[in-house]
Amino acid sequence: MEFLVEGFAALTWQQIVMFAVGGVLIFLAISKKLEPALLLPMGFGAILVNIPFSGAVDQVMSGIGPVNGIIDWLFSVGISASEAMPLLLFIGIGAMIDFGPLLKNPKLLFFGAAAQFGIFATIFAASGMGFSLTDAASIGIIGAADGPTSILVSQVLGSQYVGAITVAAYSYMALVPIIQPLAIKLVTSKKERAIKMEYHGEDIPRIAKILFPIVVTLIAGLVAPASIALVGFLMFGNLLRECGVLDSLSDTAQKVLVNLITLLLGITIASTMKAENFVTLQTIFIMCLGLVAFFFDTIAGVLFAKLINLFSRKKINPMIGAAGISAFPMSARVVQKMGLEANNQNHLLMFAVGANVSGQIASVIAGGVILGLVPALI
């Protein structure tokens, strides 16, 4: 009967901590409704992989030998082998995005680029704290505010902190409605937040919407070849949406594919959340650096807008720059809400959405740049 208590006897305090971490993620998903599709499976997966002798992970069983666990197998096949899950998720994300607001205001693309500053600032900060260049670059990509990009980059670069990076990326994405207002108010006045912008909607020719994902893929591929898988899958999903002849596939990508991959990705990433690797001082540093990355991204976007206003007669509400991060559409909603709070006649949503979708493009290109640059520097 000893086998009945063997698991309790083998339990470590680190595993108990991970049970608590899993419980917190489940609580945030259910009670606070923060990224529930991902945080709930991640939280439950964290519990599964940290139960002593868990059959969900690879182990060596007495009298049997090595036995493959389903979560470790899913990670090996779906993420480690070719980053399939994050890339497939980009097809669904691309199918969900309407680049129309960006095409109506192409200059908003610059806000997406400016809001990636936090990535590179965090890389330098992480390096200064003693992390290796590959780990620092993987931590910095949290600033992309894009979970799949964070997973893919950290996995390709071989970071030993994939689990902590993933938890930080998705946790802070879920907390955008809390983090961004604090950062925006830190560098803007109420008068600046009240700047009114007039939106003039023009119809975008269908041919422009079809050519856009193709042109972006070609340019990104030629400028940053390492980004082509990220950008290409995102733009392929958008082409499904805009081509007009594959509506059923577009709907499938937006709903069935996204839901299925998100579910599997959440529980699969728990493979990297084993107590011996996760419960470390470095994990706390990573969570702090991830918060810094989000703050720097938001502030950089706002300051870029304020810089443009110095040379422009037609003023831009600087909060539009904050929407240049990749957290779509949460960031755009934050800007719209804050705009109305400062001026109840101020409707910034379409401008913010344009900057927000440009952040999607900029974040995956930034991820590709890091994938191409870091190995060359090592």
Side-chain angles (χ1 to χ4, degrees):
M1 299 294 288
E2 291 183 2
F3 73 92
L4 293 177
V5 295
E6 190 176 10
F8 291 96
L11 200 61
T12 65
W13 69 268
Q14 291 96 334
Q15 290 169 325
I16 294 173
V17 169
M18 289 309 299
F19 294 160
V21 169
V24 168
L25 293 177
I26 292 172
F27 170 78
L28 292 175
I30 296 174
S31 180
K32 302 300 180 181
K33 298 181 180 179
L34 299 177
E35 294 286 338
L38 237 146
L39 293 190
L40 192 146
M42 281 174 62
F44 194 74
I47 295 173
L48 286 180
V49 302
N50 284 290
I51 294 174
F53 315 115
S54 171
V57 297
D58 295 345
Q59 60 174 308
V60 178
M61 296 185 67
S62 179
I64 298 176
V67 176
N68 292 327
I70 182 62
I71 293 181
D72 281 347
W73 179 83
L74 282 171
F75 184 86
S76 175
V77 174
I79 297 179
S80 183
S82 60
E83 292 75 44
M85 287 188 189
L87 288 173
L88 289 173
L89 190 56
F90 271 113
I91 295 177
I93 294 172
M96 295 166 66
I97 295 176
D98 178 8
F99 287 112
L102 176 60
L103 291 172
K104 292 177 183 177
N105 295 277
K107 63 183 180 182
L108 294 175
L109 190 62
F110 293 107
F111 292 105
Q116 306 308 311
F117 174 78
I119 295 174
F120 302 97
T122 305
I123 290 174
F124 285 110
S127 296
M129 293 176 67
F131 287 97
S132 68
L133 182 57
T134 54
D135 287 330
S138 301
I139 294 168
I141 205 66
I142 295 172
D146 190 329
T149 300
S150 298
I151 295 171
L152 190 144
V153 171
S154 57
Q155 180 60 30
V156 171
L157 292 180
S159 173
Q160 57 183 313
Y161 304 113
V162 177
I165 289 167
T166 303
V167 171
Y170 279 106
S171 297
Y172 291 135
M173 280 176 61
L175 293 173
V176 160
I178 298 173
I179 296 172
Q180 280 212 298
L182 295 175
I184 291 171
K185 289 180 179 179
L186 193 65
V187 290
T188 61
S189 64
K190 185 175 181 180
K191 182 179 178 181
E192 288 175 321
R193 296 194 295 274
I195 293 175
K196 190 174 180 179
M197 297 176 67
E198 297 293 337
Y199 179 75
H200 303 287
E202 297 90 10
D203 290 333
I204 301 297
R206 183 176 168 222
I207 186 64
K209 290 189 173 184
I210 293 174
L211 287 176
F212 181 76
I214 299 172
V215 172
V216 169
T217 301
L218 287 171
I219 293 175
L222 293 171
V223 173
S227 71
I228 197 62
L230 291 164
V231 177
F233 275 56
L234 180 72
M235 291 301 151
F236 172 64
N238 188 249
L239 188 59
L240 288 178
R241 174 194 179 97
E242 302 297 350
C243 71
V245 294
L246 294 173
D247 289 345
S248 61
L249 286 182
S250 176
D251 288 341
T252 298
Q254 293 179 46
K255 298 172 185 176
V256 178
L257 180 64
V258 165
N259 289 335
L260 180 59
I261 295 298
T262 299
L263 174 68
L264 290 175
L265 185 62
I267 201 164
T268 298
I269 205 66
S271 174
T272 63
M273 296 174 68
K274 299 182 178 82
E276 60 269 23
N277 299 322
F278 197 93
V279 184
T280 64
L281 188 60
Q282 284 75 17
T283 295
I284 297 175
F285 290 155
I286 290 168
M287 298 299 291
C288 293
L289 287 166
L291 182 59
V292 168
F294 266 69
F295 257 89
F296 268 114
D297 274 349
T298 300
I299 290 172
V302 172
L303 294 180
F304 179 72
K306 293 176 73 168
L307 178 63
I308 290 179
N309 281 345
L310 294 176
F311 307 96
S312 175
R313 287 187 301 173
K314 196 171 184 180
K315 301 302 181 184
I316 297 170
N317 190 306
M319 292 193 296
I320 298 300
I325 69 171
S326 181
F328 177 83
M330 292 175 288
S331 186
R333 290 172 180 165
V334 167
V335 171
Q336 165 71 357
K337 181 180 178 182
M338 293 185 70
L340 287 173
E341 288 174 353
N343 179 351
N344 61 13
Q345 300 299 312
N346 201 5
H347 297 280
L348 302 173
L349 186 60
M350 294 309 293
F351 295 102
V353 167
N356 216 174
V357 296
S358 77
Q360 283 278 338
I361 299 173
S363 68
V364 294
I365 292 178
V369 169
I370 288 174
L371 288 177
L373 186 61
V374 171
L377 295 175
I378 297 176

